[in-house]
Amino acid sequence: MISLPPVAPRVAKLTALGVGVALLATACGGTSTPSSTETKATTAAAGISCPAASASGAATTNATASGTVPAATTTTDTPLKLGSLLPTTGSLAFLGPPEIAGVNLGVQEVNSAGGVLGKPIEVVHRDSGDTKTDIATQSTTALLGSGVSAIIGAASSGVSKTVINQITGAGVVQFSPANTSPDFTAWDDKGLYWRTAPSDVLQGKVLGNYMATCGAQTVGMIVLNDAYGTGLAKNVKAAFESAGGKVVAEELFNTGDSQFSSQVDKVLAAKPDAIALITFDEAKSIIPLVTGKGVKPTQMFLVDGNTSDYSKDFQPGTLTGAHGTFPGTFANESFTKKLLQVDSALKDFTYGGESYDAVNLIALASEAAKSTKGVDIAKQLKAVSEGGEKCHDFPSCVTLLRNGKDIDYDGQSGPVTFSDAGDPTEAYIGIYEYTNDNKLKAVKSEFGKL
């Protein structure tokens, strides 16, 4: 049995993040304010001691419209039609249910408020699969053939790279709730690619610095060799080493690989204080290999591609004290109840808010453009995300628009506020801890600006 060495107690050196990350929000055990018994940090057997939860909090605003939504001042003969390109098969299939539920909830609320430009909006769902298959291309072809103005998806950055030119080349908006690769910021997308998930520049900096605050001085990484994995790893490494640490091992694997013993053995041979797993559901195979070598779960740090409910996959205690990150603030109870009404089988709500916000932003941009054409919608997406009167759902926002007001949509995923490149310029990154039943408990939420 191999156990990673304990790290010397120290105060981690933190650098001022280039993205301006500041701790604003915290939730423990599902509550917005921790009790006095929840302020003690859990100390790992191997010396990792992550910070205690802060008592400060920043709840997501959820004001809803009151009264009757005014009739559309401009109507359309062509209803707004959306497609979704989200995973129901493949290595990211666990992310599909909350994303699809978020889309469906958004569509329901828009149509309950009278729809867009006087007509109910339509949605067609298709599977994105993953990069091992050609499902995404086939689904995209079918969606474009059905006459959609915008496609919500894909979840995987690697998958989006296979279809972005096909979608934007057709004059259709591609709006991902989960793509985080920095590559899309400079993509030649004709102004048609947008996302509610922040670039991994932000998630990487948060995770790298968080591992340092937990006392790790050395880190080993097991990384998926695709746009998502290598991009996120680059930013994690930069942040961790800027905070005074050192990445002592970085082992890659490819999509479709099923054997990971070589990568695990090489990383453990470097004797890191902590291990970052930058993977998708390959984590289900990697985690038992790591813990089987004597690594404590408190030494493991996961990312949005694999921070999931593992209660049915591992024995109790397998992940107790492990941490994970993913973009977005914590889903509040009223919103999760709405998602559960759409899909009662949901186990978690990852990217549900981002998907819901995508629907609302597209619908509001269509209203602002007085058009259901993709190119017209794209020209208004930035405008409805910034500068005007704050609003938080379709009924309240469209009421303002129809009364001639400028709006600033702040949604379930956070304040959004797009850059010219279609990226959120400010966002939350949630940090989670695993409990004894291998489920997630919210620890803290960090807010950053790009």
Side-chain angles (χ1 to χ4, degrees):
M1 301 288 283
I2 299 173
S3 179
L4 301 187
V7 296
R10 67 185 179 99
V11 177
K13 182 184 79 174
L14 290 178
T15 59
L17 297 187
V19 291
V21 174
L23 178 63
L24 290 185
T26 300
C28 292
T31 60
S32 60
T33 304
S35 69
S36 59
T37 60
E38 296 172 347
T39 59
K40 183 178 180 181
T42 301
T43 302
I48 298 289
S49 179
C50 292
S54 166
S56 63
T60 300
T61 304
N62 291 294
T64 57
S66 59
T68 303
V69 175
T73 55
T74 301
T75 58
T76 180
D77 293 329
T78 306
L80 176 61
K81 190 171 187 178
L82 306 178
S84 83
L85 185 67
L86 298 167
T88 56
T89 62
S91 58
L92 271 178
F94 74 93
L95 286 179
E99 292 172 339
I100 293 168
V103 169
N104 286 336
L105 177 60
V107 169
Q108 287 178 14
E109 292 188 359
V110 170
N111 287 341
S112 294
V116 171
L117 300 175
K119 292 280 182 19
I121 62 175
E122 304 171 17
V123 62
V124 179
H125 295 290
R126 291 289 185 270
D127 180 24
S128 67
D130 58 26
T131 55
K132 297 193 300 288
T133 69
D134 194 39
I135 290 173
T137 301
Q138 297 173 37
S139 294
T140 297
T141 300
L143 290 171
L144 294 176
S146 72
V148 299
S149 298
I151 293 176
I152 298 172
S156 160
S157 294
V159 171
S160 280
K161 286 189 173 186
T162 68
V163 296
I164 183 172
N165 292 339
Q166 183 183 6
I167 296 171
T168 60
V172 170
V173 170
Q174 181 177 1
F175 200 129
S176 176
N179 286 170
T180 56
S181 171
D183 293 348
F184 294 111
T185 300
W187 200 279
D188 182 13
D189 55 33
K190 303 174 178 61
L192 290 166
Y193 176 87
W194 302 76
R195 51 180 165 181
T196 36
S199 161
D200 277 327
V201 170
L202 181 56
Q203 184 182 187
K205 285 180 178 290
V206 169
L207 179 57
N209 277 271
Y210 188 68
M211 290 190 293
T213 67
C214 291
Q217 297 182 62
T218 57
V219 165
M221 299 194 294
I222 299 177
V223 179
L224 173 62
N225 186 21
D226 77 348
Y228 163 77
T230 57
L232 181 51
K234 176 183 176 181
N235 286 288
V236 170
K237 180 177 181 178
F240 184 70
E241 294 190 340
S242 291
K246 183 179 181 181
V247 173
V248 293
E250 183 177 348
E251 291 297 317
L252 302 177
F253 67 90
N254 296 314
T255 300
D257 287 355
S258 58
Q259 301 296 320
F260 307 98
S261 295
S262 174
Q263 289 90 342
V264 169
D265 288 345
K266 288 178 181 178
V267 167
L268 296 190
K271 298 182 180 180
D273 301 329
I275 295 177
L277 302 181
I278 303 177
T279 76
F280 291 145
D281 71 348
E282 299 91 353
K284 292 178 181 178
S285 299
I286 296 171
I287 288 170
L289 294 175
V290 173
T291 58
K293 297 285 187 177
V295 176
K296 304 297 182 183
T298 45
Q299 295 169 265
M300 288 191 291
F301 294 83
L302 282 64
V303 292
D304 60 312
N306 54 27
T307 298
S308 183
D309 182 336
Y310 291 104
S311 57
K312 294 183 180 180
D313 300 297
F314 302 138
Q315 292 295 317
T318 299
L319 284 171
T320 304
H323 287 82
T325 59
F326 52 74
T329 190
F330 306 131
N332 62 71
E333 186 176 0
S334 64
F335 182 64
T336 58
K337 284 181 177 179
K338 290 180 180 180
L339 289 178
L340 286 168
Q341 289 173 357
V342 173
D343 182 354
S344 61
L346 290 179
K347 295 196 299 182
D348 65 59
F349 308 97
T350 309
Y351 294 121
E354 285 80 359
S355 303
Y356 171 86
D357 288 345
V359 172
N360 284 333
L361 284 159
I362 293 167
L364 292 167
S366 181
E367 278 278 339
K370 301 186 186 303
S371 169
T372 58
K373 294 181 180 179
V375 291
D376 295 334
I377 292 169
K379 291 176 182 177
Q380 293 296 325
L381 279 167
K382 188 172 187 288
V384 298
S385 78
E386 66 178 6
E389 190 169 336
K390 294 283 188 183
C391 55
H392 309 278
D393 57 19
F394 181 79
S396 59
C397 292
V398 81
T399 296
L400 292 169
L401 279 176
R402 291 176 182 173
N403 285 326
K405 303 289 182 63
D406 186 19
I407 64 169
D408 179 358
Y409 177 84
D410 285 356
Q412 291 295 331
S413 61
V416 186
T417 309
F418 291 121
S419 69
D420 290 338
D423 290 342
T425 60
E426 48 190 354
Y428 290 91
I429 302 294
I431 299 174
Y432 295 78
E433 182 178 344
Y434 280 92
T435 55
N436 188 63
D437 56 2
N438 302 314
K439 293 184 178 181
L440 295 166
K441 175 182 72 174
V443 174
K444 62 183 66 177
S445 180
E446 295 199 359
F447 178 73
K449 290 189 176 184
L450 295 174

